[in-house]
């Protein structure tokens, strides 16, 4: 306990020193660069957003972690966007669009007069270059590292240039502000995908200037410009004075501050040292709601937290072993211990509100005797030893991964499986689990386009191995159903196909699904116009400080 208190005090002290220099919504700093000593409080609005982990890259298309998109959402913009509170599609850099009757041609009419942060023009040619760099590993701006190509592009558009199944046949510039996408086959989620932040537009001039270092020098059209990045500490964004939406943004500066410990984040919020904190521990919700100086926000249930299996490693390549582990985990105990009513047990990969959710799937109830029986049938009557990798940061679907790992360790120990907990830093954790170094691992997924394909194609399709399919799961029958669902433009048909896929996935048990959570965000009462988005990437252009 003393060690924990000392750590928290150290973190808070460090924050105080940092914030004395940076200022929050109601802090003041001196303008030393001008030697005036002038207070910035009356002239600048500076929002400090505390989060559990750092971004892994600021080249948004090359990664899928929420801590990256949380930041780049406010630097970059895509052709379409989602409503501030839902996944309803609204215009963004494209002000209008047309779809051909056969569903194969999409024409977007772009906003005119928009500038990138480097002063160059946003136009149709810029859109074409961005989509070509994601789709073509040989493109000069691809920056593919050892064959690891932009993962979500491949998942959302059926692969890459030259591959069978790649949906986008052509991207044609029809004029300075008109661009046409021609598809090989209809894609039911095409417009939803085009609104995803992962397909935002980067300045071609910046790609040429920075090359692969674009991941540290982001240049978009968004409301805020990139200013600086101190790894594992803070990212600073400055107001885009030339933003194409008049009167926005309202903030002068946004600072994304890394505070890994959830308790330390709350202390910083209560002391006024930060303005917003994400991934609030559900146990703290009641106290936050009772504090007149704070406000609590609840995101919609739009995620899944799970215990992942490397399906290509023994003994996890045995379906009975995977089923046994599912039966051995007491999900309700995890929820009762850590989520304070802000989660429900998961039996399907997608949340219950999604198209095609199959409520008839039974899932896996807590049944340690059944787990022992299956282990015996699989040839592991005496159990086995296995490593469990635990995430080093809290995420919306898992506010305390360390405690989750301890509960799972205890659950599996009761059926004869001895669990050794492995810890890694966040960036290496993502890199190594994508390569398949792990056996068991904790992870989760938050929806970013409101469509089931984002969950299924990203996490369970064999084409996503080496990207987000960290389970290294391959099932040709599942692939076929997912491909059919992705290509169909009939929503009823898509729902039917996804329901069939969930039956197969439940039987195959490529992972142990744990929870769907309702993530919490807290802010000072002085923060106005903040609306937490279900995707967890919050637009801040309309936020201001009272």
């Amino acid at each position: 306990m003393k060690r924990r208190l000392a750590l928290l005090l150290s973190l808070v002290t460090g924050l105080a020193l940092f914030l004395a220099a940076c200022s929050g919504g109601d802090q003041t700093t001196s303008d030393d660069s001008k030697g005036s000593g002038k207070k910035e409080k009356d002239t600048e609005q500076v929002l400090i957003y505390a989060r559990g982990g750092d971004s892994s890259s600021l080249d948004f298309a090359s990664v899928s972690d929420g801590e990256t998109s949380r930041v780049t959402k406010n630097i970059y913009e895509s052709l379409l966007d989602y409503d501030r509170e839902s996944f309803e599609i609204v215009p963004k850099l494209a002000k209008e669009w047309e779809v051909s009757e056969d569903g194969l041609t999409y024409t977007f009419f772009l906003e005119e007069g928009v500038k990138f942060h480097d002063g160059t023009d946003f136009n149709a040619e810029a859109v074409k270059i961005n989509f070509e760099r994601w789709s073509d590993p040989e493109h000069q701006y691809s920056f593919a590292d050892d064959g690891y190509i932009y993962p979500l592009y491949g998942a959302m558009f059926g692969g890459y240039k030259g591959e069978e199944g790649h949906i986008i046949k052509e991207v044609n510039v029809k004029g300075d502000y008109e661009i046409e996408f021609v598809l090989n086959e209809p894609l039911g989620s095409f417009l939803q995908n085009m609104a995803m932040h992962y397909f935002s537009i980067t300045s071609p001039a910046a790609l040429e200037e920075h090359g692969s270092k674009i991941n540290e020098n982001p240049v978009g059209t968004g409301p805020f410009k990139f200013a600086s990045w101190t790894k594992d500490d803070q990212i600073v964004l400055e107001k885009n004075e030339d933003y194409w939406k008049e009167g926005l943004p309202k903030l002068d500066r946004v600072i994304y501050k890394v505070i890994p410990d959830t308790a330390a984040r709350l202390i910083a919020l209560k002391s006024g040292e930060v303005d917003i904190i994400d991934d609030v521990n559900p146990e703290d919700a009641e106290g936050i709601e009772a504090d007149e100086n704070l406000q609590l926000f609840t995101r919609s249930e739009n995620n899944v937290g799970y215990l992942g299996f490397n399906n290509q490693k023994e003994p996890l390549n045995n379906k009975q072993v995977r089923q046994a582990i599912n039966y051995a985990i007491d999900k309700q105990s995890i929820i009762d211990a850590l989520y304070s009513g802000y989660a429900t047990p998961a039996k399907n990969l997608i949340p219950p509100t999604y198209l095609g959710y199959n409520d008839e799937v039974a899932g896996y109830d807590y049944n340690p005797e059944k787990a022992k029986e299956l282990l015996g049938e699989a040839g592991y009557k005496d159990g086995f030893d296995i490593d469990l990798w635990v995430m080093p940061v809290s995420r919306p679907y898992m506010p305390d991964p360390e405690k989750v790992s301890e509960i799972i360790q205890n659950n599996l120990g009761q059926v004869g499986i001895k669990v050794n907990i492995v810890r890694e830093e966040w960036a290496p954790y993502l890199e190594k689990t994508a390569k398949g170094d792990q056996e068991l691992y904790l992870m989760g997924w938050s929806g970013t386009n409101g469509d089931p394909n984002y969950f299924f194609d990203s996490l369970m399709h064999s084409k996503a191995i080496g990207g987000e399919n960290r389970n290294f799961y391959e099932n040709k029958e599942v692939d076929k159903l997912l491909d059919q669902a992705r290509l169909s433009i009939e929503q009823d048909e898509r729902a039917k196909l996804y329901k069939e896929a969930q039956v197969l996935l439940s039987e195959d048990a490529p992972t142990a699904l744990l929870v769907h959570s309702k993530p919490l965000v807290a802010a000072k009462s002085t923060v106005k116009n903040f609306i937490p988005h279900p995707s967890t990437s919050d637009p801040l252009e309309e936020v201001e400080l009272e």
Side-chain angles (χ1 to χ4, degrees):
M1 178 63 74
K2 289 181 178 179
R3 182 179 179 184
R4 179 174 176 82
L5 288 173
L7 174 62
L8 294 181
L9 288 172
S10 175
L11 286 167
V12 172
T13 301
L15 272 173
L17 291 172
F18 159 75
L19 292 161
C22 294
S23 178
D26 57 0
Q27 275 75 48
T28 59
T29 61
S30 297
D31 188 355
D32 294 330
S33 63
K34 296 181 180 179
S36 63
K38 179 182 178 181
K39 299 292 185 180
E40 292 185 352
K41 178 180 177 182
D42 295 333
T43 59
E44 287 200 326
Q45 292 226 337
V46 182
L47 179 89
I48 300 181
Y49 194 127
R51 55 198 183 129
D54 200 4
S55 303
S56 59
S57 167
L58 295 182
D59 182 9
F60 52 88
S62 67
V63 293
S64 62
D65 65 290
E67 294 302 353
T68 290
S69 61
R70 191 191 307 280
V71 176
T72 55
K73 171 71 176 178
N74 290 288
I75 300 173
Y76 289 103
E77 295 173 310
S78 47
L79 296 189
L80 305 179
D81 202 356
Y82 304 117
D83 178 77
R84 290 189 73 196
E85 300 183 58
S86 71
F87 287 107
E88 179 184 350
I89 296 172
V90 298
K92 196 67 173 186
L93 289 175
K95 56 187 177 182
E96 296 176 336
W97 58 93
E98 294 176 352
V99 185
S100 63
E101 289 186 8
D102 61 6
L104 293 178
T105 303
Y106 291 76
T107 305
F108 295 91
F109 303 94
L110 310 180
E111 290 284 354
E112 300 180 24
V114 176
K115 298 281 188 181
F116 288 105
H117 298 157
D118 57 10
T120 59
D121 291 331
F122 162 77
N123 52 32
E125 187 62 36
V127 176
K128 180 179 174 67
I129 288 172
N130 275 267
F131 274 85
E132 287 179 341
R133 85 178 184 102
W134 301 324
S135 67
D136 183 3
E138 301 301 322
H139 194 275
Q140 62 176 325
Y141 301 141
S142 172
F143 314 134
D145 181 14
D146 297 328
Y148 184 71
I149 311 169
Y150 305 102
L152 290 180
Y153 180 92
M156 296 297 99
F157 296 112
Y160 303 92
K161 181 179 179 181
E163 293 183 352
E164 183 180 359
H166 183 217
I167 289 296
I168 299 179
K169 180 181 180 180
E170 299 173 0
V171 181
N172 301 315
V173 173
K174 309 295 286 185
D176 286 347
Y177 300 100
E178 181 179 342
I179 191 159
E180 174 187 80
F181 288 77
V182 181
L183 311 186
N184 286 306
E185 299 178 88
L187 179 61
S189 61
F190 185 76
L191 289 176
Q192 291 293 135
N193 293 352
M194 293 296 283
M196 291 174 65
H197 173 64
Y198 298 104
F199 308 125
S200 297
I201 309 302
T202 296
S203 161
L207 290 169
E208 182 176 359
E209 177 183 356
H210 299 293
S212 61
K213 293 296 183 181
I214 195 71
N215 67 327
E216 297 177 355
N217 298 276
V219 180
T221 60
F224 295 95
K225 296 181 178 182
F226 172 74
S228 65
W229 184 6
T230 305
K231 296 291 180 67
D232 298 317
D233 182 12
Q234 64 171 343
I235 293 175
V236 180
L237 308 183
E238 300 284 355
K239 179 177 184 175
N240 178 8
E241 298 286 356
D242 300 315
Y243 188 48
W244 59 279
K245 289 188 176 182
E246 187 175 353
L248 298 177
K250 297 180 179 179
L251 296 169
D252 294 291
R253 188 182 307 141
V254 178
I255 300 172
Y256 291 94
K257 178 67 180 172
V258 177
I259 307 178
D261 187 87
T262 54
R265 287 202 298 278
L266 182 57
I267 291 173
L269 180 68
K270 287 183 174 180
S271 66
E273 295 168 342
V274 302
D275 301 293
I276 300 177
I277 61 172
D278 213 328
D279 300 339
V280 171
N281 191 325
E283 295 177 354
D284 297 321
E286 186 175 349
I288 292 170
E289 287 186 306
D291 191 330
E292 63 181 9
N293 296 314
L294 304 178
Q295 49 187 327
L296 183 72
F297 302 92
T298 304
R299 298 190 195 275
S300 61
E301 198 173 71
N302 182 44
N303 59 38
V304 63
Y306 61 85
L307 172 69
F309 306 150
N310 187 330
N311 284 243
Q312 296 183 2
K313 285 189 174 182
E314 294 184 0
L316 298 172
N317 59 350
N318 187 313
K319 181 171 73 173
Q320 288 180 308
V321 170
R322 300 195 300 267
Q323 291 174 336
I325 293 174
N326 269 273
Y327 279 118
I329 297 174
D330 188 351
K331 301 177 188 178
Q332 194 59 52
S333 289
I334 293 174
I335 291 171
D336 292 343
L338 302 175
Y339 290 86
S340 300
Y342 289 96
T344 55
K347 62 179 182 178
N348 289 311
L349 191 66
I350 54 175
T353 56
Y354 267 59
L355 173 76
Y357 181 83
N358 193 340
D359 200 32
E360 295 181 3
V361 168
Y364 292 85
D365 294 328
Y366 178 52
N367 190 338
E369 293 306 314
K370 180 67 173 177
K372 292 178 183 178
E373 178 185 330
L374 286 167
L375 287 173
E377 293 175 3
Y380 296 96
K381 181 180 179 180
D382 298 324
F384 51 83
D385 292 1
I386 197 165
D387 287 344
L388 165 57
W389 290 36
V390 57
M391 292 160 36
V393 299
S394 63
R395 300 299 300 129
Y397 43 77
M398 203 169 293
D400 196 332
E402 189 73 26
K403 287 183 180 178
V404 172
S405 70
E406 291 169 0
I407 293 173
I408 291 174
Q409 182 184 48
N410 179 264
N411 286 163
L412 298 188
Q414 292 177 12
V415 299
I417 301 174
K418 184 178 179 181
V419 173
N420 172 52
I421 294 178
V422 177
R423 298 171 178 86
E424 284 276 1
E425 293 299 318
W426 186 226
Y429 186 92
L430 293 173
E431 179 183 352
K432 291 180 180 180
T433 54
K435 291 179 178 179
D437 292 351
Q438 76 284 9
E439 292 178 309
L440 298 175
Y441 68 104
L442 287 178
M443 189 59 80
W445 198 247
S446 296
T448 64
N449 71 347
D451 194 276
N453 81 314
Y454 182 69
F455 284 82
F456 289 114
D457 287 11
S458 300
L459 303 180
M460 293 299 165
H461 201 293
S462 63
K463 284 187 177 180
I465 289 176
E468 295 310 323
N469 184 351
R470 290 174 163 85
N471 297 301
F472 289 81
Y473 174 66
E474 295 184 75
N475 184 314
K476 291 182 179 179
E477 194 172 354
V478 170
D479 281 354
K480 182 179 179 181
L481 289 169
L482 298 184
D483 289 340
Q484 290 174 335
R486 183 175 65 252
L487 298 176
S488 174
I489 58 175
E490 297 294 332
Q491 298 305 311
D492 289 344
E493 181 184 3
R494 297 184 72 219
K496 178 178 178 293
L497 292 165
Y498 283 127
K499 286 182 178 181
E500 292 177 18
Q502 286 163 81
V503 173
L504 295 179
L505 288 168
S506 183
E507 168 68 19
D508 231 4
T511 185
L513 304 171
L514 302 177
V515 302
H516 301 297
S517 76
K518 296 179 180 178
L520 303 177
V521 182
K524 288 160 55 175
S525 59
T526 53
V527 175
K528 303 300 179 184
N529 302 326
F530 174 75
I531 299 176
H533 196 268
S535 67
T536 76
S537 298
D538 307 313
L540 300 179
E541 65 262 31
E542 295 188 31
V543 174
E544 58 185 328
L545 300 171
E546 188 177 70

